[in-house]
Amino acid sequence: MNVNPWVIPGSLQNLPPAGGKIPGFHFVFRAGLGVTHLYVTHRMTLTVDRADASANLRLKWKEKTSRADALPETDWVCRAGEPIEVIADFPGGLKPGQHHLKLEIISGGGYGGRGESGAPRVLCEFEDELA
Amino acid sequence: MAQEQGTGTRRQFLSRAALGATLAPEMRAQSARKRFSVAIAASSAEVLDFLSWRLWDPFVLQAGIPQVAGRGGNAPVDLLILGQYQSGRGIEVAMERAGGVIAVQPAELKAPLAAAVASRMGVRFRKWDYKTPAFSVATGHPLLQPLACTTGRSFLPHLPFAWHMEIEPVKAEVVTRFTSGAPDIVINGRSALIASNLVFEVLQYHRHPDTLQFNGDLSLVLANLTLAAIGAQPVDVPAPKLYLDWRDHFYGYAFGREFIFELLALKGESVGGALRELVEYEAAHSDELIAAAAGCLLRDDVPGMQALYRDAAEGLLRCRLALTKVQPYFIRGWHGGLLSDRMVDGEIIGYAEWGWPSRTMKWTEARLAVSERLGYKQINQVGGATWDQIADRGLTDLDRWKRASAAGLIESVKGMYSDAYMEVIGPESNIRQFEYGLRAFRRMSQGVRTFMVATDDFAFHPQLPQILKSFGFEFAVLRPGGPGRFKGVDCAQLLWKGLDGTCIQAVPNYATVPQTLIAGNGGIARMPQFLLAAEKAGLPTAIGGGAVDDTLYMHGEREYESLNSVVPVQAIPATWPEYCQRAPIRPEPVFFTADDMLGYPCFWSGYGSINAECRDDRRLERLLVAAEKFSTLAAQKGRPYPTAALDRAWKYLLSSQDHFSYGCGGPDNPEGYNVGGLQEGGMRGYAGPRIPITMEDTDVRWKKYAGEAGREALEGALAHLCRVEAEGRTAAGGACLLVYNPLNWSRKGTAQAWVRAPSGAPQLVAFDGEQETGAAVLERRGEEALVEFHAQVPSLGFRAYTIRAGNTPAAPAAKRLENRYFRVEVSPETGAVTSLFDKARGKELLRPGEVTRIECSEPRIDTRTARAQVKLDRADAVASRMHIQGQLAKCSYTLLLTLAHESPWLEVGMEIDYGKGAIFGFKMKPETLLRAVFPLRPGSRWINLPFGVYQTAVANPVMLDFCDAHDGSSGVAILIDSMPGLHLADDNVEVLVSDGFPPLRGVHPYRFAIYPHAGDWRAGNVLRNAHEFQEKLPALALPESVSLPFERSYLEAADGVVLSALTLKGGKMHARFYDTTGAASRIETRWRIPWKDASAVRLDDQAEGDLPVDGAHIRFDLPAWRILTIAGRSAEGGQA
């Protein structure tokens, strides 16, 4: 199993039902060493078991929530270890059992000469079991 | 074993070298001292070094000399050290065969501890936990005796987000516990287990005020664990002070020894058997000496220890001398940070390294103390602005610094007021950076002799040799960091020849020898590779190192300085003059073109925020220069010169040019906080500032002051001159406008001013006492109107106008942009310019089938295919204007193409509303950013940088004022007043507008112009037009009216020379000129205010010879591209 030290075990959970239906799921990961410049995200994609779950993706950091496609409107620069919650629409939710999740961003760049190729960069990839 | 797979050279070396295993047998036989074999592995080179160097702790050396037997193989060893996340069957086998074990998390993350390992360690594995308490605390275990630790004291820090093993002791004794109570370090006989990633985590606290304490405590714990693991008697008394003072020298010896054997390994077969034997013998002998030295230390015999230590180190030096003929030098400099003059809630506001000022001051003084204690030579590359603040606030003993400077221990370098990108700040800012910087450095040093930038900086252009020499610099170091590159040359030293021919001794950037720095694992630890490359390049001497900021982990620093300040085993710790005076100089001077030294000013931010900063900075520089010029003239007419206010304004402007504040992080600038409070989030016990600072706050404040002070000085001086010169022909009231010209040639152009003009007023005209010209009302606010009119103003002077009712010439009927120079066709669908026709030369300026446009790769933008609203919204007495409105992805934009009837250029005003935030393209990939694209005709491309003009053939140069596209017979210049970034590809000239980092917010205005001309940039007067474009004729409403006509010119000078500055210093006028033609000429200047005397002076005000003065006339020779300052007294006996 691919173990990502920045994942918070057990944080993968379905969202509470709304109108009798589970609208999606959420999980928490930690920002890696250095700084993570979420505010220069062009695009963010989430796959769950290799299926796309990127529509209406939201992030929550320091009690603030932003749509993934509106991150340039924020000032989110996360430092090592800070927890970031990812909230995804996934009608019906995830079934109990093992799931593989991968969160990627296409970033505009970063501080200190950090150029970007325009290629997706994995922010977080892990497998976890939903009870 | 996992560690066998390591690809790092150092790890490979250590695996192969089998130090000690091949030591001369007779040496071992002669030694009565016990030796113990060690195998060691870690996935981090820093962790590995930390662990391996601590094997040479004086306490450990008393028990035996370590023989690191490599990382692989199955040979049994006395001690196996697993530094981090090592697991697998190989580890288990190695553990079985090892006499003793120290294991840090000997399992893959989230995998359980192998049963055999758990059994050996005497623990039961429970689980991995993703949260780790902040500290470990001491138990009463005897192994902690040397620390004199009280039980329960927190002493080893952890990263709270790191993972640790939760273990339960079965037979093991607990040495330390997490604050949660769970065991961290346990020991079971000769086997020790560390449940946290302890060494790595302690190293992450390098910016904590207690970092040395953490480091030292861990070293002592490791020493005792080592002693226990090899079956020796652990230390059971508190460590003596002498041990604490000197132990780094022993770790330094280990580092130096490792250097020798790595060099030996890298040289491979080229080292013969006899030489190899000699090196091994020398090293083995030195090992004996160092162990003996440790004994002396622990017996409090410091002189004995020092003598033996020196002998041991000299043995290593002989090894190096035997292995290479290259003489290595190494520079250890520190850099950076910006201390502001603001205090909030009792805290000084500082940025970057100075984000926690009290800690940084202590750190800086600690560096000074190292030099004082060890005689170790270092470089200070903290900017003048910060030293000014340190001096003003009395934060340190400046005399101590001066003494260290006088003793040659601390060399202050660079001499600039802030770390500005010299290539994109204005000419006069280039000069003032040194003028104010050197003044600040004189407060704490003997002066500055060397120009050197830090490894995160770039500040070069081809006129720098001239500026440096004129300020008295003797040496330059051509080694930029990330924000640029400098062409490499493999030689020890060269003569850097500038654009004007001035030469300065310079240390080159090597072409084939990789730079080494003190920081990180690529630092001093790379000296073997550095020396080998230098040897290959044929260098007799080579110098590594640089100035690195305190935010980085200085791997191996204390070890390096402890050893090499005694005996230069790895390199001679040096200052630049020391190196430059010894290293041979290549005799032929070397001229580097602008393309040879390319700056990337976007490095710490992005072109979007750089553009905003550049626009403000250039505007303020022009304001202060104009204020100085007219204040100097006014001072000759009795008005006090505002020295203090202008000095302060300049200092603020120069500070705001620092690469940290220069567009860094953008308008919201969270970087200011994140860099300033670098470790706050992850640092337990953080005691630094918690003020949510942004650089923006300070920067805005600085610029506000500079703007207000500049305007007050300028307007006061002009009003004074006007009053004095009008000689009583003034009257109260009226609406007189003074259009002024700080440039040294007469100008025509449009001037704008707000005037009182009732809304019912008829057409307005501008009247200069002799003729009327039409005035256009651009905007009304109640009784006030913004009027624009054609004005003509003499060189360095002014002309008065009144705005009054009159017969305005009829507006042109043409419904398109056209004047006698230009005809512009605009697509009514997209707003793209489809034709730029140069009427004077009968030539289409755009390539066939091409149009101007705005482009971006991400999000995909191309205004050629996007609909826009296009209308001619202005056609009046002064100009015609096309108004274009459209979308750039989510952002709206407006383009105003303005063609004044008398203007030789098409002015483009652009506004982009970035809304709440937007990014464009990918940083450091200019071809992807938001760009204004001009598809011009093929040919050569020319740019200007401070005091010079250069042809460029690279894709992404920067420009100061223009980029000129020359097709052999004529040219088109893109004139800018900010936006220095360029992308030149496919014959396009593309101006970089916005970047992928950081986001821009709100409305940003941009201005540029398209200027077609005959001939090349010289024949087309491109530079002069660029200055005029930037310095739109300013107008000042006078409080009183003057009798018209009224104009004054204070200077007439030959074409091709620019009056860069006119200031008053020490009672003398200083007029600074520079050549813009590239040809030597005899310059005639005629002044309205006659000079009593004049002499040419260097930039540091040293006189270079008297100049003939004939009343108002001063003549002087101006060599090509030369900057010349004339200083002298006014014959009018004005204000001193």
Side-chain angles (χ1 to χ4, degrees):
Chain A
M1 186 175 72
N2 177 20
V3 177
N4 185 324
W6 306 108
V7 168
I8 296 184
S11 72
L12 178 64
Q13 291 178 351
N14 280 324
L15 294 168
K21 291 180 180 173
I22 296 173
F25 63 87
H26 63 151
F27 65 92
V28 183
F29 73 100
R30 291 183 184 277
L33 283 178
V35 288
T36 302
H37 297 91
L38 285 180
Y39 76 152
V40 283
T41 300
H42 280 297
R43 275 176 282 153
M44 183 176 282
T45 53
L46 174 68
T47 58
V48 53
D49 303 326
R50 291 176 177 74
D52 184 58
S54 307
N56 195 29
L57 204 57
R58 284 96 68 206
L59 283 87
K60 192 171 176 185
W61 175 69
K62 288 189 174 178
E63 306 301 316
K64 293 177 286 186
T65 303
S66 171
R67 286 195 333 272
D69 61 5
L71 285 169
E73 297 178 8
T74 71
D75 61 357
W76 292 14
V77 178
C78 313
R79 281 171 288 181
E82 289 182 340
I84 301 159
E85 184 179 352
V86 179
I87 306 153
D89 281 359
F90 203 78
L94 296 175
K95 292 187 170 51
Q98 196 80 356
H99 293 283
H100 174 270
L101 288 97
K102 187 176 183 182
L103 185 68
E104 291 182 312
I105 58 167
I106 293 179
S107 168
Y111 183 66
R114 264 177 54 186
E116 290 292 340
S117 64
R121 186 153 51 86
V122 177
L123 215 51
C124 164
E125 182 176 11
F126 66 100
E127 288 176 14
D128 207 353
E129 187 166 340
L130 191 74
Chain B
M1 289 168 69
Q3 64 273 20
E4 289 177 86
Q5 311 305 318
T7 54
T9 313
R10 304 186 68 212
R11 265 178 276 165
Q12 281 175 344
F13 151 68
L14 283 168
S15 300
R16 285 198 309 266
L19 307 190
T22 57
L23 285 180
E26 69 276 18
M27 187 72 207
R28 284 207 302 278
Q30 286 168 10
S31 169
R33 203 172 298 277
K34 185 184 170 188
R35 291 171 182 267
F36 60 95
S37 58
V38 186
I40 183 168
S43 50
S44 149
E46 283 87 354
V47 170
L48 189 147
D49 283 342
F50 189 93
L51 290 167
S52 65
W53 297 342
R54 263 78 196 151
L55 292 169
W56 297 80
D57 184 276
F59 283 133
V60 176
L61 286 173
Q62 289 313 285
I65 296 173
Q67 299 173 70
V68 179
R71 317 285 171 62
N74 291 318
V77 289
D78 297 318
L79 174 61
L80 174 67
I81 300 179
L82 303 173
Q84 205 179 22
Y85 298 145
Q86 307 292 328
S87 68
R89 180 62 195 145
I91 285 290
E92 290 170 33
V93 170
M95 270 204 197
E96 283 168 17
R97 295 180 178 184
V101 175
I102 300 172
V104 180
Q105 297 188 329
E108 291 297 337
L109 185 60
K110 287 194 85 176
L113 206 54
V117 176
S119 169
R120 171 153 192 170
M121 298 299 171
V123 298
R124 183 176 298 123
F125 175 81
R126 280 188 174 162
K127 63 172 185 175
W128 283 91
D129 195 335
Y130 70 96
K131 284 188 287 191
T132 297
F135 279 96
S136 286
V137 297
T139 65
H141 196 279
L143 286 180
L144 299 183
Q145 285 297 316
L147 282 85
C149 242
T150 50
T151 303
R153 193 194 104 186
S154 299
F155 74 120
L156 293 175
H158 297 290
L159 297 175
F161 48 85
W163 293 63
H164 72 275
M165 286 178 168
E166 199 175 307
I167 51 171
E168 181 187 343
V170 178
K171 288 191 284 181
E173 299 166 10
V174 178
V175 180
T176 68
R177 293 182 183 278
F178 296 109
T179 45
S180 61
D184 183 10
I185 302 175
V186 297
I187 190 157
N188 182 35
R190 289 179 61 184
S191 301
L193 172 73
I194 303 179
S196 64
N197 193 3
L198 183 61
V199 183
F200 176 81
E201 291 175 40
V202 167
L203 294 182
Q204 300 311 301
Y205 276 74
H206 59 91
R207 262 174 75 87
H208 193 284
D210 297 331
T211 185
L212 292 181
Q213 183 69 44
F214 296 152
N215 204 300
D217 285 352
L218 178 59
S219 298
L220 264 177
V221 171
L222 287 170
N224 246 359
L225 288 177
T226 301
L227 289 169
I230 62 173
Q233 178 63 40
V235 181
D236 57 1
V237 294
K241 184 174 182 306
L242 284 175
Y243 159 89
L244 298 174
D245 288 346
W246 289 97
R247 61 181 163 177
D248 280 344
H249 281 67
F250 291 80
Y251 309 149
Y253 172 84
F255 190 12
R257 189 183 190 284
E258 187 182 293
F259 157 79
I260 293 298
F261 279 92
E262 188 168 5
L263 187 59
L264 181 66
L266 286 171
K267 296 203 76 158
E269 297 303 313
S270 67
V271 177
L275 179 56
R276 188 174 294 273
E277 276 287 307
L278 177 69
V279 168
E280 289 171 354
Y281 181 86
E282 280 283 10
H285 183 60
S286 289
D287 292 349
E288 294 290 334
L289 293 170
I290 204 74
C296 286
L297 175 65
L298 296 175
R299 289 192 302 275
D300 295 350
D301 176 9
V302 172
M305 180 274 290
Q306 286 177 311
L308 286 165
Y309 186 90
R310 176 174 289 279
D311 286 348
E314 283 177 349
L316 296 183
L317 174 61
R318 282 192 292 275
C319 292
R320 192 252 286 164
L321 293 172
L323 288 171
T324 179
K325 288 189 168 54
V326 179
Q327 177 80 291
Y329 292 81
F330 199 81
I331 290 289
R332 192 321 183 202
W334 68 90
H335 150 74
L338 195 55
L339 201 53
S340 86
D341 62 345
R342 290 178 65 210
M343 287 196 79
V344 176
D345 296 340
E347 300 267 14
I348 303 169
I349 299 296
Y351 300 95
E353 296 78 5
W354 288 89
W356 185 351
S358 56
R359 193 208 72 87
T360 307
M361 194 69 249
K362 277 184 191 159
W363 181 88
T364 308
E365 288 184 326
R367 296 313 309 162
L368 173 62
V370 168
S371 283
E372 291 169 333
R373 188 165 63 91
L374 301 177
Y376 177 60
K377 288 164 183 166
Q378 297 183 88
I379 304 293
N380 157 47
Q381 197 277 287
V382 173
T386 295
W387 281 110
D388 254 357
Q389 288 305 317
I390 290 170
D392 288 348
R393 293 173 188 276
L395 300 181
T396 190
D397 176 2
L398 294 173
D399 286 339
R400 200 176 144 202
W401 288 92
K402 279 186 178 169
R403 284 194 297 274
S405 170
L409 293 174
I410 302 284
E411 183 196 8
S412 288
V413 297
K414 195 176 185 186
M416 284 167 58
Y417 201 64
S418 74
D419 291 319
Y421 298 123
M422 292 297 239
E423 69 277 20
V424 292
I425 62 170
E428 206 49 40
S429 288
N430 263 258
I431 304 298
R432 306 309 170 96
Q433 280 287 352
F434 289 113
E435 182 180 332
Y436 287 94
L438 292 170
R439 202 184 292 175
F441 279 104
R442 282 194 285 272
R443 302 175 77 175
M444 54 74 66
S445 74
Q446 296 272 309
V448 181
R449 300 170 68 188
T450 308
F451 179 78
M452 168 213 180
V453 303
T455 51
D456 70 353
D457 198 9
F458 181 91
F460 296 95
H461 55 74
Q463 280 282 46
L464 210 54
Q466 180 182 186
I467 296 172
L468 293 176
K469 287 293 276 190
S470 195
F471 270 111
F473 284 82
E474 296 168 70
F475 315 106
V477 182
L478 312 184
R479 296 181 178 178
R485 65 165 177 78
F486 206 113
K487 184 182 177 184
V489 179
D490 280 336
C491 68
Q493 200 178 178
L494 52 78
L495 286 172
W496 178 21
K497 182 178 172 184
L499 182 65
D500 74 320
T502 301
C503 291
I504 187 166
Q505 261 178 263
V507 179
N509 202 14
Y510 299 130
T512 62
V513 183
Q515 276 198 38
T516 56
L517 306 170
I518 195 85
N521 191 46
I524 186 70
R526 300 283 297 175
M527 278 307 279
Q529 288 81 356
F530 176 76
L531 279 179
L532 219 60
E535 197 173 276
K536 201 172 168 187
L539 298 180
T541 64
I543 187 160
V548 181
D549 73 49
D550 162 45
T551 58
L552 299 174
Y553 172 55
M554 305 293 171
H555 180 61
E557 167 159 58
R558 282 179 299 115
E559 291 83 357
Y560 162 76
E561 67 198 19
S562 298
L563 171 69
N564 290 272
S565 59
V566 177
V567 174
V569 173
Q570 287 147 297
I572 300 168
T575 58
W576 291 108
E578 200 176 333
Y579 174 80
C580 291
Q581 284 158 1
R582 293 183 198 170
I585 305 177
R586 196 165 119 163
E588 280 297 305
V590 183
F591 174 72
F592 295 98
T593 68
D595 287 356
D596 291 334
M597 52 187 104
L598 272 185
Y600 316 135
C602 60
F603 187 84
W604 289 110
S605 52
Y607 275 112
S609 54
I610 282 284
N611 289 340
E613 196 73 23
C614 193
R615 181 177 58 237
D616 293 344
D617 271 34
R618 297 297 307 277
R619 179 180 55 79
L620 279 176
E621 184 198 35
R622 291 193 293 271
L623 174 66
L624 295 184
V625 166
E628 281 181 340
K629 287 178 178 176
F630 287 108
S631 293
T632 301
L633 296 169
Q636 309 316 311
K637 301 286 185 186
R639 184 174 190 267
Y641 187 82
T643 304
L646 288 174
D647 273 353
R648 192 172 167 198
W650 270 112
K651 286 182 177 183
Y652 281 163
L653 173 59
L654 299 172
S655 297
S656 82
Q657 291 168 348
D658 186 273
H659 69 209
F660 187 74
S661 58
Y662 205 73
C664 203
D668 298 319
N669 196 13
E671 293 304 343
Y673 183 46
N674 286 295
V675 176
L678 192 70
Q679 303 284 0
E680 185 181 340
M683 185 189 286
R684 291 300 164 144
Y686 174 82
R690 293 180 184 277
I691 301 157
I693 52 174
T694 70
M695 189 65 228
E696 182 76 354
D697 294 340
T698 302
D699 203 44
V700 165
R701 181 175 159 275
W702 282 340
K703 286 177 175 162
K704 183 169 181 288
Y705 176 87
E708 288 172 356
R711 271 188 297 279
E712 190 178 324
L714 174 65
E715 292 175 8
L718 283 167
H720 180 83
L721 283 169
C722 196
R723 254 192 315 275
V724 173
E725 298 278 11
E727 293 167 345
R729 295 185 301 145
T730 59
C736 194
L737 287 177
L738 201 65
V739 182
Y740 59 94
N741 173 22
L743 303 177
N744 57 297
W745 56 87
S746 62
R747 296 172 54 188
K748 292 177 185 172
T750 56
Q752 289 184 3
W754 284 92
V755 296
R756 188 175 167 79
S759 55
Q763 297 290 359
L764 300 177
V765 294
F767 178 63
D768 65 1
E770 290 173 346
Q771 67 180 80
E772 289 183 346
T773 55
V777 176
L778 302 182
E779 190 181 337
R780 281 190 182 277
R781 287 182 200 158
E783 300 285 283
E784 300 274 302
L786 177 64
V787 296
E788 187 177 58
F789 57 98
H790 282 292
Q792 186 168 349
V793 194
S795 165
L796 186 61
F798 47 77
R799 181 191 292 261
Y801 287 84
T802 57
I803 304 296
R804 64 186 193 186
N807 295 318
T808 308
K815 289 295 179 190
R816 63 181 177 187
L817 299 180
E818 184 169 2
N819 66 9
R820 64 191 168 101
Y821 301 104
F822 261 125
R823 187 168 64 239
V824 185
E825 304 283 354
V826 177
S827 161
E829 285 82 29
T830 65
V833 174
T834 56
S835 171
L836 274 171
F837 191 75
D838 179 352
K839 290 164 75 173
R841 281 158 285 279
K843 195 169 179 177
E844 173 58 47
L845 304 176
L846 302 182
R847 294 199 305 278
E850 294 273 14
V851 300
T852 63
R853 57 196 178 267
I854 302 171
E855 274 190 40
C856 180
S857 301
E858 175 74 35
R860 180 71 61 186
I861 292 169
D862 187 339
T863 55
R864 283 177 295 190
T865 54
R867 293 197 70 82
Q869 294 177 317
V870 183
K871 63 181 177 188
L872 190 79
D873 75 336
R874 180 179 167 194
D876 54 39
V878 178
S880 300
R881 188 171 73 186
M882 194 68 77
H883 183 281
I884 299 153
Q885 203 160 25
Q887 285 293 125
L888 304 170
K890 292 178 182 172
C891 304
S892 63
Y893 79 99
T894 304
L895 272 178
L896 298 175
L897 309 181
T898 304
L899 190 60
H901 302 323
E902 299 299 324
S903 174
W905 64 67
L906 173 69
E907 181 171 336
V908 183
M910 181 167 72
E911 274 190 358
I912 300 177
D913 185 351
Y914 294 103
K916 291 179 183 171
I919 55 173
F920 294 90
F922 305 109
K923 177 169 167 171
M924 302 297 277
K925 291 177 79 86
E927 70 278 12
T928 68
L929 305 182
L930 190 71
R931 289 123 46 222
V933 179
F934 303 95
L936 303 176
R937 298 164 76 94
S940 56
R941 302 291 184 256
W942 299 74
I943 47 135
N944 83 315
L945 296 175
F947 303 108
V949 180
Y950 310 91
Q951 187 172 359
T952 182
V954 295
N956 301 304
V958 292
M959 58 180 160
L960 187 66
D961 303 303
F962 70 81
C963 174
D964 191 52
H966 180 55
D967 69 3
S969 60
S970 62
V972 181
I974 306 299
L975 312 178
I976 58 162
D977 75 346
S978 56
M979 295 197 287
L982 272 173
H983 179 58
L984 303 176
D986 303 326
D987 294 322
N988 291 341
V989 172
E990 304 183 1
V991 178
L992 307 180
V993 177
S994 192
D995 209 320
F997 174 93
L1000 295 187
R1001 310 185 199 285
V1003 177
H1004 285 236
Y1006 305 90
R1007 247 183 107 230
F1008 44 89
I1010 303 166
Y1011 169 55
H1013 57 85
D1016 63 5
W1017 62 270
R1018 279 189 188 88
N1021 275 325
V1022 172
L1023 196 59
R1024 181 175 280 209
N1025 277 273
H1027 283 150
E1028 292 186 17
F1029 166 73
Q1030 291 172 352
E1031 193 91 57
K1032 265 195 128 177
L1033 277 176
L1036 173 69
L1038 288 177
E1040 50 209 351
S1041 65
V1042 294
S1043 174
L1044 299 178
F1046 178 59
E1047 72 164 33
R1048 290 292 181 273
S1049 172
Y1050 292 90
L1051 169 67
E1052 287 173 24
D1055 283 352
V1057 68
V1058 171
L1059 176 70
S1060 184
L1062 178 63
T1063 60
L1064 192 68
K1065 280 198 292 187
K1068 286 186 173 180
M1069 294 193 291
H1070 283 62
R1072 182 156 38 251
F1073 294 94
Y1074 62 92
D1075 170 60
T1076 61
T1077 66
S1081 50
R1082 178 88 172 149
I1083 300 295
E1084 296 269 343
T1085 60
R1086 189 162 69 85
W1087 298 79
R1088 180 174 175 81
I1089 297 170
W1091 292 57
K1092 185 176 180 183
D1093 52 40
S1095 57
V1097 295
R1098 300 190 335 172
L1099 292 171
D1100 62 1
D1101 294 340
Q1102 298 288 316
E1104 286 195 311
D1106 290 340
L1107 295 171
V1109 176
D1110 176 14
H1113 293 264
I1114 303 177
R1115 296 176 191 85
F1116 53 90
D1117 291 321
L1118 191 61
W1121 299 119
R1122 189 60 59 84
I1123 305 161
L1124 182 82
T1125 308
I1126 298 169
R1129 289 171 295 173
S1130 159
E1132 293 201 350
Q1135 192 242 348

